[in-house]
Amino acid sequence: LAKTTQPISMDSYEGQEVNITCSHNNIATNDYITWYQQFPSQGPRFIIQGYKTKVTNEVASLFIPADRKSSTLSLPRVSLSDTAVYYCLVGDPYNQGGKLIFGQGTELSVKP
Amino acid sequence: DTAVSQTPKYLVTQMGNDKSIKCEQNLGHDTMYWYKQDSKKFLKIMFSYNNKELIINETVPNRFSPKSPDKAHLNLHINSLELGDSAVYFCASSQANAGTSYNEQFFGPGTRLTVL
């Protein structure tokens, strides 16, 4: 399974757009990129998943360049409640039996 | 209307004891998982069951034995507890079909196990 690298921590202020970049140089053809969010004392929560180009949902956008060796999670106009750890994962979502490999994640701190 | 529930939420016990953590999902999913999150926040998969059959076993000590009585339940039994077993254990479920994938997993609230 492809290894991911992301910043350990990021700081932001309320109302700003936050972009968290993840590197995955060894991504395989069948791999998708998935992001999870984890609040303190809670289980991780699925945010978004994509294969290439751009994916957008009500929570975030995911930008994936043509070579797919990196991806960027974009959170528009963050609020204090977006303070959490964000995990980038890479893997085949249909043939791996659900084996998610979580890295260390990015601890996002949103300040007033 | 909790999707994935775990009991108990907290578990404090002595070394050498045997304990169980229960997990139930009401999402109708076919696949369930157990993860362990240690003090450094690393989240590692331990087991995965699909329709009551074991499909992933990540070299977990055999003191850990998952049991799936039906596809809505995946319980974790731990024998001879050790200090290093202290962690938060998360149960999760998913359903891979058109429009979704195994990667979209729904996690429970976690069980904080403390071994003294």
Side-chain angles (χ1 to χ4, degrees), chain B residues 3 13 15 18-19 26 28 36 42 56-57 67 74 79 88 91 93 99-100 105 110:
Chain B
T13 188
M15 274 175 52
D18 302 339
K19 290 294 178 185
N26 62 6
K36 177 181 180 181
F42 283 104
I56 294 175
N57 182 340
K67 287 197 169 40
L74 181 63
N79 290 327
V88 181
C91 176
S93 73
T100 66
Q105 297 184 12

mmCIF file with all atom_site columns, all heavy atoms in Angstrom, chain B residues 3 13 15 18-19 26 28 36 42 56-57 67 74 79 88 91 93 99-100 105 110:
data_model
loop_
_atom_site.group_PDB
_atom_site.id
_atom_site.type_symbol
_atom_site.label_atom_id
_atom_site.label_alt_id
_atom_site.label_comp_id
_atom_site.label_asym_id
_atom_site.label_entity_id
_atom_site.label_seq_id
_atom_site.pdbx_PDB_ins_code
_atom_site.Cartn_x
_atom_site.Cartn_y
_atom_site.Cartn_z
_atom_site.occupancy
_atom_site.B_iso_or_equiv
_atom_site.pdbx_formal_charge
_atom_site.auth_seq_id
_atom_site.auth_comp_id
_atom_site.auth_asym_id
_atom_site.auth_atom_id
_atom_site.pdbx_PDB_model_num
ATOM 1   N N   . ALA B 1 3   ? -25.252 4.747   14.442 1.00 0.00 ? 3   ALA B N   1
ATOM 2   C CA  . ALA B 1 3   ? -24.891 3.891   13.334 1.00 0.00 ? 3   ALA B CA  1
ATOM 3   C C   . ALA B 1 3   ? -23.993 2.738   13.801 1.00 0.00 ? 3   ALA B C   1
ATOM 4   O O   . ALA B 1 3   ? -24.288 1.577   13.538 1.00 0.00 ? 3   ALA B O   1
ATOM 5   C CB  . ALA B 1 3   ? -24.216 4.704   12.245 1.00 0.00 ? 3   ALA B CB  1
ATOM 6   N N   . THR B 1 13  ? -8.941  -2.119  33.911 1.00 0.00 ? 13  THR B N   1
ATOM 7   C CA  . THR B 1 13  ? -8.797  -3.477  34.415 1.00 0.00 ? 13  THR B CA  1
ATOM 8   C C   . THR B 1 13  ? -7.350  -3.765  34.797 1.00 0.00 ? 13  THR B C   1
ATOM 9   O O   . THR B 1 13  ? -6.445  -2.988  34.480 1.00 0.00 ? 13  THR B O   1
ATOM 10  C CB  . THR B 1 13  ? -9.282  -4.484  33.354 1.00 0.00 ? 13  THR B CB  1
ATOM 11  O OG1 . THR B 1 13  ? -9.311  -5.799  33.915 1.00 0.00 ? 13  THR B OG1 1
ATOM 12  C CG2 . THR B 1 13  ? -8.374  -4.476  32.138 1.00 0.00 ? 13  THR B CG2 1
ATOM 13  N N   . MET B 1 15  ? -3.821  -6.123  34.901 1.00 0.00 ? 15  MET B N   1
ATOM 14  C CA  . MET B 1 15  ? -3.051  -7.041  34.040 1.00 0.00 ? 15  MET B CA  1
ATOM 15  C C   . MET B 1 15  ? -3.468  -8.470  34.300 1.00 0.00 ? 15  MET B C   1
ATOM 16  O O   . MET B 1 15  ? -3.756  -8.845  35.442 1.00 0.00 ? 15  MET B O   1
ATOM 17  C CB  . MET B 1 15  ? -1.558  -6.925  34.381 1.00 0.00 ? 15  MET B CB  1
ATOM 18  C CG  . MET B 1 15  ? -0.834  -5.830  33.667 1.00 0.00 ? 15  MET B CG  1
ATOM 19  S SD  . MET B 1 15  ? 0.873   -5.692  34.230 1.00 0.00 ? 15  MET B SD  1
ATOM 20  C CE  . MET B 1 15  ? 1.459   -7.360  34.061 1.00 0.00 ? 15  MET B CE  1
ATOM 21  N N   . ASP B 1 18  ? -9.198  -11.002 31.591 1.00 0.00 ? 18  ASP B N   1
ATOM 22  C CA  . ASP B 1 18  ? -9.800  -11.176 30.266 1.00 0.00 ? 18  ASP B CA  1
ATOM 23  C C   . ASP B 1 18  ? -10.985 -10.227 30.167 1.00 0.00 ? 18  ASP B C   1
ATOM 24  O O   . ASP B 1 18  ? -11.787 -10.137 31.093 1.00 0.00 ? 18  ASP B O   1
ATOM 25  C CB  . ASP B 1 18  ? -10.312 -12.618 30.095 1.00 0.00 ? 18  ASP B CB  1
ATOM 26  C CG  . ASP B 1 18  ? -9.231  -13.660 30.277 1.00 0.00 ? 18  ASP B CG  1
ATOM 27  O OD1 . ASP B 1 18  ? -8.042  -13.318 30.150 1.00 0.00 ? 18  ASP B OD1 1
ATOM 28  O OD2 . ASP B 1 18  ? -9.586  -14.829 30.562 1.00 0.00 ? 18  ASP B OD2 1
ATOM 29  N N   . LYS B 1 19  ? -11.082 -9.530  29.031 1.00 0.00 ? 19  LYS B N   1
ATOM 30  C CA  . LYS B 1 19  ? -12.187 -8.581  28.857 1.00 0.00 ? 19  LYS B CA  1
ATOM 31  C C   . LYS B 1 19  ? -12.708 -8.637  27.423 1.00 0.00 ? 19  LYS B C   1
ATOM 32  O O   . LYS B 1 19  ? -12.007 -9.061  26.514 1.00 0.00 ? 19  LYS B O   1
ATOM 33  C CB  . LYS B 1 19  ? -11.731 -7.144  29.160 1.00 0.00 ? 19  LYS B CB  1
ATOM 34  C CG  . LYS B 1 19  ? -11.436 -6.880  30.623 1.00 0.00 ? 19  LYS B CG  1
ATOM 35  C CD  . LYS B 1 19  ? -12.703 -6.972  31.457 1.00 0.00 ? 19  LYS B CD  1
ATOM 36  C CE  . LYS B 1 19  ? -12.386 -6.749  32.933 1.00 0.00 ? 19  LYS B CE  1
ATOM 37  N NZ  . LYS B 1 19  ? -13.588 -6.958  33.775 1.00 0.00 ? 19  LYS B NZ  1
ATOM 38  N N   . ASN B 1 26  ? -25.955 -0.726  12.779 1.00 0.00 ? 26  ASN B N   1
ATOM 39  C CA  . ASN B 1 26  ? -27.324 -0.853  12.260 1.00 0.00 ? 26  ASN B CA  1
ATOM 40  C C   . ASN B 1 26  ? -27.444 -0.280  10.849 1.00 0.00 ? 26  ASN B C   1
ATOM 41  O O   . ASN B 1 26  ? -28.507 0.167   10.436 1.00 0.00 ? 26  ASN B O   1
ATOM 42  C CB  . ASN B 1 26  ? -28.319 -0.184  13.209 1.00 0.00 ? 26  ASN B CB  1
ATOM 43  C CG  . ASN B 1 26  ? -28.074 1.306   13.368 1.00 0.00 ? 26  ASN B CG  1
ATOM 44  O OD1 . ASN B 1 26  ? -27.218 1.880   12.682 1.00 0.00 ? 26  ASN B OD1 1
ATOM 45  N ND2 . ASN B 1 26  ? -28.803 1.938   14.259 1.00 0.00 ? 26  ASN B ND2 1
ATOM 46  N N   . GLY B 1 28  ? -26.589 -2.031  8.101  1.00 0.00 ? 28  GLY B N   1
ATOM 47  C CA  . GLY B 1 28  ? -26.762 -3.093  7.127  1.00 0.00 ? 28  GLY B CA  1
ATOM 48  C C   . GLY B 1 28  ? -25.493 -3.408  6.345  1.00 0.00 ? 28  GLY B C   1
ATOM 49  O O   . GLY B 1 28  ? -25.557 -4.043  5.285  1.00 0.00 ? 28  GLY B O   1
ATOM 50  N N   . LYS B 1 36  ? -6.927  -0.172  16.476 1.00 0.00 ? 36  LYS B N   1
ATOM 51  C CA  . LYS B 1 36  ? -6.328  0.225   17.756 1.00 0.00 ? 36  LYS B CA  1
ATOM 52  C C   . LYS B 1 36  ? -5.622  1.560   17.553 1.00 0.00 ? 36  LYS B C   1
ATOM 53  O O   . LYS B 1 36  ? -4.853  1.718   16.602 1.00 0.00 ? 36  LYS B O   1
ATOM 54  C CB  . LYS B 1 36  ? -5.314  -0.832  18.215 1.00 0.00 ? 36  LYS B CB  1
ATOM 55  C CG  . LYS B 1 36  ? -4.578  -0.483  19.494 1.00 0.00 ? 36  LYS B CG  1
ATOM 56  C CD  . LYS B 1 36  ? -3.579  -1.580  19.855 1.00 0.00 ? 36  LYS B CD  1
ATOM 57  C CE  . LYS B 1 36  ? -2.824  -1.240  21.136 1.00 0.00 ? 36  LYS B CE  1
ATOM 58  N NZ  . LYS B 1 36  ? -1.819  -2.283  21.486 1.00 0.00 ? 36  LYS B NZ  1
ATOM 59  N N   . PHE B 1 42  ? -1.524  6.918   16.530 1.00 0.00 ? 42  PHE B N   1
ATOM 60  C CA  . PHE B 1 42  ? -1.499  6.096   15.321 1.00 0.00 ? 42  PHE B CA  1
ATOM 61  C C   . PHE B 1 42  ? -2.662  5.119   15.351 1.00 0.00 ? 42  PHE B C   1
ATOM 62  O O   . PHE B 1 42  ? -2.890  4.434   16.342 1.00 0.00 ? 42  PHE B O   1
ATOM 63  C CB  . PHE B 1 42  ? -0.181  5.331   15.196 1.00 0.00 ? 42  PHE B CB  1
ATOM 64  C CG  . PHE B 1 42  ? 0.950   6.189   14.719 1.00 0.00 ? 42  PHE B CG  1
ATOM 65  C CD1 . PHE B 1 42  ? 1.907   6.636   15.595 1.00 0.00 ? 42  PHE B CD1 1
ATOM 66  C CD2 . PHE B 1 42  ? 1.038   6.568   13.387 1.00 0.00 ? 42  PHE B CD2 1
ATOM 67  C CE1 . PHE B 1 42  ? 2.941   7.440   15.164 1.00 0.00 ? 42  PHE B CE1 1
ATOM 68  C CE2 . PHE B 1 42  ? 2.074   7.372   12.947 1.00 0.00 ? 42  PHE B CE2 1
ATOM 69  C CZ  . PHE B 1 42  ? 3.034   7.816   13.839 1.00 0.00 ? 42  PHE B CZ  1
ATOM 70  N N   . ILE B 1 56  ? -9.174  -9.957  7.173  1.00 0.00 ? 56  ILE B N   1
ATOM 71  C CA  . ILE B 1 56  ? -7.917  -9.288  7.490  1.00 0.00 ? 56  ILE B CA  1
ATOM 72  C C   . ILE B 1 56  ? -7.550  -9.609  8.928  1.00 0.00 ? 56  ILE B C   1
ATOM 73  O O   . ILE B 1 56  ? -8.370  -9.467  9.833  1.00 0.00 ? 56  ILE B O   1
ATOM 74  C CB  . ILE B 1 56  ? -8.002  -7.752  7.320  1.00 0.00 ? 56  ILE B CB  1
ATOM 75  C CG1 . ILE B 1 56  ? -8.222  -7.380  5.864  1.00 0.00 ? 56  ILE B CG1 1
ATOM 76  C CG2 . ILE B 1 56  ? -6.737  -7.076  7.853  1.00 0.00 ? 56  ILE B CG2 1
ATOM 77  C CD1 . ILE B 1 56  ? -8.428  -5.887  5.652  1.00 0.00 ? 56  ILE B CD1 1
ATOM 78  N N   . ASN B 1 57  ? -6.299  -10.054 9.127  1.00 0.00 ? 57  ASN B N   1
ATOM 79  C CA  . ASN B 1 57  ? -5.771  -10.262 10.468 1.00 0.00 ? 57  ASN B CA  1
ATOM 80  C C   . ASN B 1 57  ? -4.356  -9.725  10.445 1.00 0.00 ? 57  ASN B C   1
ATOM 81  O O   . ASN B 1 57  ? -3.468  -10.338 9.859  1.00 0.00 ? 57  ASN B O   1
ATOM 82  C CB  . ASN B 1 57  ? -5.795  -11.749 10.831 1.00 0.00 ? 57  ASN B CB  1
ATOM 83  C CG  . ASN B 1 57  ? -5.292  -11.997 12.252 1.00 0.00 ? 57  ASN B CG  1
ATOM 84  O OD1 . ASN B 1 57  ? -4.596  -11.157 12.839 1.00 0.00 ? 57  ASN B OD1 1
ATOM 85  N ND2 . ASN B 1 57  ? -5.633  -13.132 12.819 1.00 0.00 ? 57  ASN B ND2 1
ATOM 86  N N   . LYS B 1 67  ? -14.974 -12.009 17.377 1.00 0.00 ? 67  LYS B N   1
ATOM 87  C CA  . LYS B 1 67  ? -16.057 -12.965 17.163 1.00 0.00 ? 67  LYS B CA  1
ATOM 88  C C   . LYS B 1 67  ? -17.229 -12.230 16.527 1.00 0.00 ? 67  LYS B C   1
ATOM 89  O O   . LYS B 1 67  ? -17.653 -11.191 17.023 1.00 0.00 ? 67  LYS B O   1
ATOM 90  C CB  . LYS B 1 67  ? -16.483 -13.609 18.487 1.00 0.00 ? 67  LYS B CB  1
ATOM 91  C CG  . LYS B 1 67  ? -15.471 -14.598 19.016 1.00 0.00 ? 67  LYS B CG  1
ATOM 92  C CD  . LYS B 1 67  ? -16.025 -15.515 20.054 1.00 0.00 ? 67  LYS B CD  1
ATOM 93  C CE  . LYS B 1 67  ? -15.087 -16.663 20.381 1.00 0.00 ? 67  LYS B CE  1
ATOM 94  N NZ  . LYS B 1 67  ? -13.667 -16.316 20.445 1.00 0.00 ? 67  LYS B NZ  1
ATOM 95  N N   . LEU B 1 74  ? -19.571 -7.367  15.781 1.00 0.00 ? 74  LEU B N   1
ATOM 96  C CA  . LEU B 1 74  ? -18.193 -7.858  15.805 1.00 0.00 ? 74  LEU B CA  1
ATOM 97  C C   . LEU B 1 74  ? -17.616 -7.517  17.174 1.00 0.00 ? 74  LEU B C   1
ATOM 98  O O   . LEU B 1 74  ? -17.368 -6.351  17.474 1.00 0.00 ? 74  LEU B O   1
ATOM 99  C CB  . LEU B 1 74  ? -17.348 -7.226  14.701 1.00 0.00 ? 74  LEU B CB  1
ATOM 100 C CG  . LEU B 1 74  ? -15.894 -7.707  14.645 1.00 0.00 ? 74  LEU B CG  1
ATOM 101 C CD1 . LEU B 1 74  ? -15.835 -9.207  14.347 1.00 0.00 ? 74  LEU B CD1 1
ATOM 102 C CD2 . LEU B 1 74  ? -15.098 -6.931  13.588 1.00 0.00 ? 74  LEU B CD2 1
ATOM 103 N N   . ASN B 1 79  ? -7.614  -11.785 25.966 1.00 0.00 ? 79  ASN B N   1
ATOM 104 C CA  . ASN B 1 79  ? -7.175  -12.607 27.090 1.00 0.00 ? 79  ASN B CA  1
ATOM 105 C C   . ASN B 1 79  ? -5.874  -12.084 27.682 1.00 0.00 ? 79  ASN B C   1
ATOM 106 O O   . ASN B 1 79  ? -5.065  -11.457 26.988 1.00 0.00 ? 79  ASN B O   1
ATOM 107 C CB  . ASN B 1 79  ? -6.934  -14.056 26.638 1.00 0.00 ? 79  ASN B CB  1
ATOM 108 C CG  . ASN B 1 79  ? -8.224  -14.773 26.293 1.00 0.00 ? 79  ASN B CG  1
ATOM 109 O OD1 . ASN B 1 79  ? -9.262  -14.511 26.890 1.00 0.00 ? 79  ASN B OD1 1
ATOM 110 N ND2 . ASN B 1 79  ? -8.160  -15.666 25.330 1.00 0.00 ? 79  ASN B ND2 1
ATOM 111 N N   . VAL B 1 88  ? -7.078  3.152   22.705 1.00 0.00 ? 88  VAL B N   1
ATOM 112 C CA  . VAL B 1 88  ? -8.487  3.304   22.342 1.00 0.00 ? 88  VAL B CA  1
ATOM 113 C C   . VAL B 1 88  ? -8.765  2.354   21.189 1.00 0.00 ? 88  VAL B C   1
ATOM 114 O O   . VAL B 1 88  ? -8.030  2.341   20.194 1.00 0.00 ? 88  VAL B O   1
ATOM 115 C CB  . VAL B 1 88  ? -8.814  4.751   21.927 1.00 0.00 ? 88  VAL B CB  1
ATOM 116 C CG1 . VAL B 1 88  ? -10.301 4.864   21.582 1.00 0.00 ? 88  VAL B CG1 1
ATOM 117 C CG2 . VAL B 1 88  ? -8.458  5.729   23.039 1.00 0.00 ? 88  VAL B CG2 1
ATOM 118 N N   . CYS B 1 91  ? -14.290 0.359   16.570 1.00 0.00 ? 91  CYS B N   1
ATOM 119 C CA  . CYS B 1 91  ? -14.972 -0.536  15.657 1.00 0.00 ? 91  CYS B CA  1
ATOM 120 C C   . CYS B 1 91  ? -15.441 0.299   14.465 1.00 0.00 ? 91  CYS B C   1
ATOM 121 O O   . CYS B 1 91  ? -15.721 1.499   14.615 1.00 0.00 ? 91  CYS B O   1
ATOM 122 C CB  . CYS B 1 91  ? -16.161 -1.157  16.380 1.00 0.00 ? 91  CYS B CB  1
ATOM 123 S SG  . CYS B 1 91  ? -17.195 -2.221  15.380 1.00 0.00 ? 91  CYS B SG  1
ATOM 124 N N   . SER B 1 93  ? -17.486 -0.015  10.257 1.00 0.00 ? 93  SER B N   1
ATOM 125 C CA  . SER B 1 93  ? -18.148 -0.859  9.263  1.00 0.00 ? 93  SER B CA  1
ATOM 126 C C   . SER B 1 93  ? -18.168 -0.146  7.926  1.00 0.00 ? 93  SER B C   1
ATOM 127 O O   . SER B 1 93  ? -18.013 1.079   7.858  1.00 0.00 ? 93  SER B O   1
ATOM 128 C CB  . SER B 1 93  ? -19.577 -1.209  9.701  1.00 0.00 ? 93  SER B CB  1
ATOM 129 O OG  . SER B 1 93  ? -20.428 -0.083  9.588  1.00 0.00 ? 93  SER B OG  1
ATOM 130 N N   . GLY B 1 99  ? -21.339 3.137   -5.934 1.00 0.00 ? 99  GLY B N   1
ATOM 131 C CA  . GLY B 1 99  ? -21.445 4.447   -5.304 1.00 0.00 ? 99  GLY B CA  1
ATOM 132 C C   . GLY B 1 99  ? -20.718 4.573   -3.997 1.00 0.00 ? 99  GLY B C   1
ATOM 133 O O   . GLY B 1 99  ? -20.540 5.671   -3.490 1.00 0.00 ? 99  GLY B O   1
ATOM 134 N N   . THR B 1 100 ? -20.327 3.473   -3.386 1.00 0.00 ? 100 THR B N   1
ATOM 135 C CA  . THR B 1 100 ? -19.560 3.540   -2.135 1.00 0.00 ? 100 THR B CA  1
ATOM 136 C C   . THR B 1 100 ? -18.379 2.594   -2.250 1.00 0.00 ? 100 THR B C   1
ATOM 137 O O   . THR B 1 100 ? -18.236 1.875   -3.230 1.00 0.00 ? 100 THR B O   1
ATOM 138 C CB  . THR B 1 100 ? -20.403 3.137   -0.913 1.00 0.00 ? 100 THR B CB  1
ATOM 139 O OG1 . THR B 1 100 ? -20.745 1.761   -1.030 1.00 0.00 ? 100 THR B OG1 1
ATOM 140 C CG2 . THR B 1 100 ? -21.652 3.976   -0.791 1.00 0.00 ? 100 THR B CG2 1
ATOM 141 N N   . GLN B 1 105 ? -15.589 4.179   5.599  1.00 0.00 ? 105 GLN B N   1
ATOM 142 C CA  . GLN B 1 105 ? -15.873 3.408   6.796  1.00 0.00 ? 105 GLN B CA  1
ATOM 143 C C   . GLN B 1 105 ? -16.509 4.308   7.857  1.00 0.00 ? 105 GLN B C   1
ATOM 144 O O   . GLN B 1 105 ? -16.148 5.471   8.005  1.00 0.00 ? 105 GLN B O   1
ATOM 145 C CB  . GLN B 1 105 ? -14.595 2.766   7.326  1.00 0.00 ? 105 GLN B CB  1
ATOM 146 C CG  . GLN B 1 105 ? -14.006 1.770   6.343  1.00 0.00 ? 105 GLN B CG  1
ATOM 147 C CD  . GLN B 1 105 ? -12.802 1.034   6.847  1.00 0.00 ? 105 GLN B CD  1
ATOM 148 O OE1 . GLN B 1 105 ? -12.472 1.072   8.029  1.00 0.00 ? 105 GLN B OE1 1
ATOM 149 N NE2 . GLN B 1 105 ? -12.133 0.332   5.948  1.00 0.00 ? 105 GLN B NE2 1
ATOM 150 N N   . GLY B 1 110 ? -15.482 4.572   20.035 1.00 0.00 ? 110 GLY B N   1
ATOM 151 C CA  . GLY B 1 110 ? -14.243 4.139   20.674 1.00 0.00 ? 110 GLY B CA  1
ATOM 152 C C   . GLY B 1 110 ? -14.447 3.613   22.081 1.00 0.00 ? 110 GLY B C   1
ATOM 153 O O   . GLY B 1 110 ? -15.395 3.996   22.782 1.00 0.00 ? 110 GLY B O   1
#
